[in-house]
Amino acid sequence: KGLDLFMVEDDAPAQRETTSAPAPIADDRISLEALCQQYRVDMAHAQYIGALATQIFDATETVHRLAPNMRSLLEAAALVHNIAYEIDPPNHHLRGRDILMNTPLRGFSDDERRILACTTSFHRKKVHPDAEPIYTALPEDLRRDALALSAILRVADGLDHSQTQSTVIDALHLNANEVEIVVSGERAAEDAAQAQKKADLWAKVFPVTVRVLPAPAEPSPAADSQPREQLWRLVLPQAVRLDATISIVR
């Protein structure tokens, strides 16, 4: 019987090696929406700028020649361009740039975050890209993208300078030398003038200039004036709606 001490029963359960589940990787990134909420962004203005900017983007694709995926980055740029306005109005473009560089964003690569930092920095004041280290650190092709997105964003931002979300794009006309944007609304003249002022970067980045002008006023029924259609032809020959097919005369 002493040998029984060394006998192992055939049906004894085998011991299994246990492995602990891998620890979840901590994700310290924040969503764009949460970031805007944290800094109390005026979302009505930001989303309106995004809508105007993407309208311009869609209608001028033969001018800017950006990749289609840049459209969503332009929308994101509009949402965060005033990210630091509540905390530092005079320098919000620079403070916003720093916030974006120091905040990992969910859904955005490091290079995309650098582009957003550039568009935020470049959306106001005179733009001197070579003096911006974040811009110069980008690969050459992404530098061009950052400037192109900034140029579109600046024009769109000017179109809501009044902060009323009342100025709308009525028509856009392209030819070999110029993009002409016609806008209307209660504050259209003011907003168009500001958009034109902010189109300085556009003129440096794209091969055609941009001209922003308010739509002609409706003629008074009693006035002895030309029909509205003739006025439009005088101001905007061959004007096309944004939802129409647009091509540049080469």
Side-chain angles (χ1 to χ4, degrees):
K1 289 187 178 180
L3 294 176
D4 293 343
L5 295 173
F6 301 96
M7 296 176 65
V8 179
E9 296 182 8
D10 292 339
D11 58 351
Q15 292 185 348
R16 297 180 180 178
E17 292 185 4
T18 58
T19 56
S20 57
I25 300 174
D27 186 356
D28 60 349
R29 295 173 297 174
I30 186 173
S31 70
L32 208 64
E33 293 75 11
L35 185 68
C36 291
Q37 185 176 14
Q38 178 181 337
Y39 286 95
R40 295 180 294 177
V41 170
D42 179 354
M43 293 303 290
H45 171 71
Q47 291 173 342
Y48 198 72
I49 298 306
L52 293 171
T54 51
Q55 280 184 284
I56 297 171
F57 182 98
D58 293 342
T60 60
E61 59 182 10
T62 54
V63 175
H64 58 68
R65 301 187 183 278
L66 289 162
N69 66 308
M70 287 290 120
R71 188 183 192 275
S72 59
L73 199 59
L74 177 59
E75 288 184 283
L79 291 181
V80 299
H81 77 284
N82 276 352
I83 195 74
Y85 190 82
E86 285 290 317
I87 60 176
D88 189 359
N91 301 297
H92 69 275
H93 58 306
L94 302 179
R95 289 290 296 275
R97 172 203 63 192
D98 296 341
I99 288 170
L100 291 165
M101 284 304 298
N102 292 311
T103 307
L105 291 175
R106 189 174 302 134
F108 295 88
S109 68
D110 288 342
D111 276 343
E112 288 173 333
R113 188 157 49 90
R114 292 185 185 101
I115 291 175
L116 291 178
C118 287
T119 57
T120 298
S121 176
F122 297 161
H123 88 273
R124 65 189 298 262
K125 304 287 187 180
K126 289 291 182 182
V127 177
H128 303 285
D130 291 335
E132 176 53 74
I134 299 169
Y135 170 80
T136 57
L138 284 169
E140 186 173 351
D141 58 331
L142 295 185
R143 289 184 213 168
R144 194 267 175 188
D145 291 346
L147 285 180
L149 292 174
S150 298
I152 296 171
L153 179 64
R154 284 173 65 91
V155 173
D157 190 34
L159 288 176
D160 195 37
H161 176 71
S162 62
Q163 301 272 325
T164 61
Q165 294 83 64
S166 62
T167 296
V168 299
I169 298 175
D170 280 348
L172 192 147
H173 175 252
L174 300 109
N175 59 46
N177 302 308
E178 187 178 66
V179 175
E180 206 167 47
I181 303 173
V182 181
V183 297
S184 65
E186 184 179 350
R187 307 285 289 273
E190 171 192 340
D191 289 339
Q194 188 65 21
Q196 188 65 62
K197 180 180 178 181
K198 298 186 72 168
D200 53 344
L201 182 60
W202 179 297
K204 296 177 181 178
V205 174
F206 299 133
V208 298
T209 58
V210 64
R211 187 158 64 105
V212 188
L213 65 159
E218 290 278 1
S220 169
D224 183 16
S225 60
Q226 301 178 70
R228 187 171 188 268
E229 291 79 9
Q230 293 183 22
L231 287 172
W232 272 91
R233 292 194 194 99
L234 289 173
V235 177
L236 190 61
Q238 301 178 356
V240 293
R241 302 297 302 182
L242 279 171
D243 56 0
T245 301
I246 299 173
S247 60
I248 296 180
V249 178
R250 300 252 180 220

